[in-house]
Amino acid sequence: AQSVTQLDSQVPVFEEAPVELRCNYSSSVSVYLFWYVQYPNQGLQLLLKYLSGSTLVKGINGFEAEFNKSQTSFHLRKPSVHISDTAEYFCAVRPNQAGTALIFGKGTTLSVSS
Amino acid sequence: DTGVSQDPRHKITKRGQNVTFRCDPISEHNRLYWYRQTLGQGPEFLTYFQNEAQLEKSRLLSDRFSAERPKGSFSTLEIQRTEQGDSAMYLCASSPSPGPKTYGYTFGSGTRLTVV
């Protein structure tokens, strides 16, 4: 079975500071990895995904994430955050096999203040 | 393409009543998923369809829950005899068949259910 652990439930940062949201996963098979963002009262929007190839993936809104197979991690980073980045961020995995359900972590609330 | 649409956005119901939610996926997507999200948690998988066939159901989907996708287009999720524990955001997502550029779902804005 697969599982996702988001190590920080809340991350407060000041505007223009760098941020890292941590995600670890466990799986007995290879996986695809995703980060989603959810703004209040909205659905989830895909930020970026890792399927294969380069372990550093770039997404929308200046976010990037690095896949580390040995540490089974997929941490999300942004070098300089904006107030508008305040939202809930979810890491998700999908096993590379038949059956397609995304498995989500519990989320990290990013709060950006001025 | 207007994305994934869910209706209603909000539903308040009394305990014991039945409720039905609707999801309209992106038209060319043949896969449709239902998730439930409670406060402070990530979305939890409920069930998924490929075209009209329901291919997978989570253990979370008790016998009070039923989902259909009769013509392989829109889907409905019905909860019978609602309980307070059913209060949650119900999210629908769709995707095309998996391929190199098509992983990742498109989510709707959800239906927030409150059982009083």
Side-chain angles (χ1 to χ4, degrees):
Chain A
Q2 293 75 36
S3 67
V4 179
T5 302
Q6 292 185 241
L7 297 161
D8 308 292
S9 59
Q10 297 189 26
V11 174
V13 294
F14 288 108
E15 194 173 21
E16 298 184 8
V19 71
E20 179 179 78
L21 306 184
R22 297 180 293 168
C23 173
N24 286 91
Y25 70 92
S26 66
S27 177
S28 57
V29 300
S30 60
V31 295
Y32 303 118
L33 296 153
F34 306 82
W35 276 98
Y36 282 83
V37 60
Q38 186 177 34
Y39 299 101
N41 298 315
Q42 294 189 26
L44 283 79
Q45 180 182 6
L46 181 65
L47 272 179
L48 48 79
K49 59 181 181 276
Y50 172 78
L51 305 181
S52 64
S54 173
T55 57
L56 183 64
V57 293
K58 295 188 182 297
I60 62 172
N61 301 341
F63 284 93
E64 64 181 31
E66 186 160 18
F67 170 55
N68 188 319
K69 187 175 182 179
S70 62
Q71 297 186 5
T72 60
S73 68
F74 190 54
H75 301 333
L76 181 71
R77 295 191 289 258
K78 186 170 182 177
S80 175
V81 294
H82 303 290
I83 298 282
S84 59
D85 292 323
T86 296
E88 190 83 10
Y89 291 80
F90 294 96
C91 181
V93 302
R94 182 191 150 186
N96 181 10
Q97 62 181 74
T100 63
L102 277 177
I103 300 163
F104 287 86
K106 292 187 176 183
T108 297
T109 302
L110 176 63
S111 300
V112 183
S113 57
S114 57
Chain B
D1 178 7
T2 57
V4 177
S5 300
Q6 292 190 246
D7 183 69
R9 290 293 306 273
H10 304 275
K11 178 71 176 178
I12 300 174
T13 191
K14 292 183 178 179
R15 188 176 53 186
Q17 297 294 305
N18 299 343
V19 294
T20 299
F21 311 141
R22 176 179 170 123
C23 172
D24 288 89
I26 293 173
S27 57
E28 60 266 30
H29 287 183
N30 61 356
R31 295 189 174 198
L32 185 148
Y33 312 84
W34 284 100
Y35 280 79
R36 182 175 69 185
Q37 185 179 19
T38 53
L39 200 61
Q41 300 293 318
E44 297 170 296
F45 170 74
L46 292 178
T47 188
Y48 112 86
F49 292 83
Q50 179 161 314
N51 300 314
E52 65 275 11
Q54 188 173 18
L55 296 187
E56 190 175 346
K57 292 196 289 186
S58 161
R59 290 174 298 170
L60 293 175
L61 211 66
S62 76
D63 56 6
R64 295 186 298 107
F65 288 69
S66 62
E68 294 182 344
R69 195 183 182 197
K71 299 182 179 179
S73 56
F74 74 90
S75 175
T76 58
L77 177 68
E78 181 183 17
I79 309 175
Q80 296 182 328
R81 304 181 304 281
T82 52
E83 302 173 354
Q84 287 189 322
D86 297 330
S87 295
M89 176 78 87
Y90 290 84
L91 294 166
C92 176
S94 69
S95 74
S97 294
K101 299 182 181 179
T102 59
Y103 290 98
Y105 306 167
T106 302
F107 280 85
S109 297
T111 294
R112 181 168 296 282
L113 172 67
T114 302
V115 181
V116 297

